[in-house]
Amino acid sequence: MADLIIMRRDATEEEIKKVVEKIEKLGFKAHISKGTERTIIGIIGDTRGISDETFRILPGVSEVISILKEYKLTSRDFHPEDTIIDINGTKIGEGYFVVMAGPCSVENKTQLYETAKFIKDKGAKILRGAVFKPRTSPYSFLGLGPEGLKIVKEVKEELKIPVITEVLSPEEVEPVAEVSDILQIGTRNMFNYRLLQRVGKIEKPVLLKRNFSAKLSEFLNCAEYILKEGNSKVILCERGIRTFDSEFTRNTLDLSAIPVLKKETHLPVIVDPSHGTGRRDLVIPMSKAAIAAGADGLLIEVHPKPEEALSDGFQSLTLDMFEILMKEIIPLAKLMGKKI
Ligand code: PEP
Ligand code: MN
């Protein structure tokens, strides 16, 4: 099995071209990473039938490597350089720090507009707000639906801020992608393989949340479902997992997932301390912990009147608290070498 072709330091452009041609002749796509030292060429596709020998004999080839991980395209072994996602100039990935903030649910235009204006003013780069809500009880507020999507579009255009909103089903992908800059797949849908395949076929970035009971290898395999379909703009989000202890917190924020994922994959890793803890008073300390652990950004719930929120008011920051959060995390993110 041949997955990665490591070229010799002195390999010529012509030799690199010959390797790429061979890959394409076999019906695969080539991914070229040009490092300072040498060029590495990845083979995209199911390479189980290809022997190392096919490439080892070509001039300029130093080594042929097989990747044994199931999540090949997602793995850093296959794609050593960090993926940086660019949304109209806002960069997401290693070396950058992005704050996505807004209400859990879009409730009306005033609420979204007021929140968006505030968070943008304080340095958040992306507005969050769901219109299709997956709730534990079917009697809870399930979101404004298409009407809410119109509000998201209006606020995005009026304030010129990119937005992220959730998709629940494959049928929603098209209408949501028309408005939203990033599509969110929530914790409950991480294992929804049809939905993963569907968002894999679009160009827009996807924020994939870890299922609250998923192992990290399962999380990475679900990202692979998206990448395999051609969409490599995937952002991973740790949002807390279920453990034996839910006495003081809604979930247990798995901070160790951050450095593990950053090692294992080239994709950006962000943290949602709002769902991760379920308590507004824990959001600022856990945001700081996430930055210290190497996160590339945060997803934060904010509401102008959390006590009146239709969902997740208990964990939503007030506007005042959001201002404090931003003031306290900006120097920390800079200390970690991030541009914010
Ligand atoms: C949300 O972001 O509002 C949400 C529903 O998140 P999760 O899927 O992580 O519960
Ligand atoms: Mn929420």
Side-chain angles (χ1 to χ4, degrees), residues 188-251:
R188 295 161 184 84
N189 266 322
M190 187 202 89
F191 285 117
N192 184 340
Y193 298 118
R194 290 283 171 268
L195 181 59
L196 301 177
Q197 286 169 328
R198 181 67 189 80
V199 296
K201 293 193 165 69
I202 61 168
E203 303 263 311
K204 290 269 169 93
V206 175
L207 181 132
L208 180 65
K209 288 187 137 193
R210 178 185 183 183
N211 176 265
F212 42 63
S213 304
K215 294 194 243 179
L216 290 176
S217 56
E218 293 171 313
F219 190 21
L220 291 162
N221 269 308
C222 286
E224 186 80 6
Y225 263 86
I226 305 173
L227 270 77
K228 181 171 181 285
E229 297 303 318
N231 188 353
S232 55
K233 294 183 204 149
V234 176
I235 304 158
L236 301 175
C237 179
E238 162 60 35
R239 50 79 68 206
I241 50 172
R242 286 191 173 159
T243 61
F244 63 90
D245 194 356
S246 55
E247 211 175 355
F248 292 102
T249 52
R250 183 175 174 185
N251 290 290

Side-chain angles (χ1 to χ4, degrees), residues 53-339:
E53 212 47 34
T54 317
F55 292 96
R56 197 168 285 132
I57 52 167
L58 297 181
V61 170
S62 160
E63 236 183 300
V64 180
I65 294 177
S66 314
I67 293 177
L68 300 169
K69 293 197 173 113
E70 289 169 310
Y71 43 89
K72 171 173 146 177
L73 303 177
T74 306
S75 78
R76 204 180 265 286
D77 297 351
F78 183 74
H79 189 293
E81 75 275 24
D82 292 288
T83 286
I84 311 283
I85 297 170
D86 190 327
I87 299 170
N88 304 330
T90 294
K91 299 215 167 62
I92 307 174
E94 181 56 41
Y96 299 91
F97 197 82
V98 67
V99 176
M100 309 181 187
C104 176
S105 303
V106 176
E107 297 166 4
N108 53 63
K109 183 156 175 196
T110 315
Q111 171 238 21
L112 191 66
Y113 188 91
E114 196 184 321
T115 315
K117 198 163 171 352
F118 190 87
I119 59 119
K120 187 182 177 204
D121 196 45
K122 302 298 168 217
K125 291 283 182 335
I126 294 169
L127 172 67
R128 65 148 287 152
V131 299
F132 300 109
K133 291 297 305 169
R135 303 299 298 281
T136 305
S137 160
Y139 300 105
S140 300
F141 177 60
L142 298 179
L144 294 180
E147 201 48 46
L149 208 49
K150 269 195 218 150
I151 297 177
V152 171
K153 187 166 187 280
E154 285 169 19
V155 173
K156 163 188 157 136
E157 285 167 3
E158 286 166 31
L159 290 174
K160 301 200 176 5
I161 182 166
V163 296
I164 171 167
T165 195
E166 182 163 354
V167 273
L168 295 185
S169 67
E171 303 81 66
E172 280 161 12
V173 170
E174 210 183 296
V176 171
E178 267 175 38
V179 172
S180 199
D181 300 275
I182 306 175
L183 276 67
Q184 177 172 321
I185 295 191
T187 194
R188 295 161 184 84
N189 266 322
M190 187 202 89
F191 285 117
N192 184 340
Y193 298 118
R194 290 283 171 268
L195 181 59
L196 301 177
Q197 286 169 328
R198 181 67 189 80
V199 296
K201 293 193 165 69
I202 61 168
E203 303 263 311
K204 290 269 169 93
V206 175
L207 181 132
L208 180 65
K209 288 187 137 193
R210 178 185 183 183
N211 176 265
F212 42 63
S213 304
K215 294 194 243 179
L216 290 176
S217 56
E218 293 171 313
F219 190 21
L220 291 162
N221 269 308
C222 286
E224 186 80 6
Y225 263 86
I226 305 173
L227 270 77
K228 181 171 181 285
E229 297 303 318
N231 188 353
S232 55
K233 294 183 204 149
V234 176
I235 304 158
L236 301 175
C237 179
E238 162 60 35
R239 50 79 68 206
I241 50 172
R242 286 191 173 159
T243 61
F244 63 90
D245 194 356
S246 55
E247 211 175 355
F248 292 102
T249 52
R250 183 175 174 185
N251 290 290
T252 298
L253 188 66
D254 182 7
L255 287 171
S256 61
I258 307 160
V260 170
L261 291 171
K262 293 284 295 180
K263 253 198 187 147
E264 215 40 41
T265 170
H266 51 90
L267 299 173
V269 177
I270 75 156
V271 170
D272 170 356
S274 306
H275 294 86
T277 62
R279 283 173 50 169
R280 105 169 44 91
D281 63 322
L282 301 186
V283 169
I284 296 179
M286 294 317 277
S287 295
K288 292 177 181 167
I291 296 170
D296 300 314
L298 295 169
L299 183 68
I300 306 277
E301 288 188 336
V302 188
H303 198 289
K305 290 187 192 127
E307 64 290 352
E308 291 173 20
L310 297 180
S311 61
D312 288 347
F314 197 66
Q315 69 197 29
S316 298
L317 295 187
T318 60
L319 299 182
D320 288 349
M321 284 179 88
F322 184 73
E323 184 169 3
I324 298 170
L325 167 86
M326 291 305 285
K327 267 203 192 114
E328 295 189 355
I329 64 166
I330 289 172
L332 203 52
K334 285 186 181 157
L335 189 69
M336 290 298 291
K338 307 274 192 184
K339 284 199 193 104

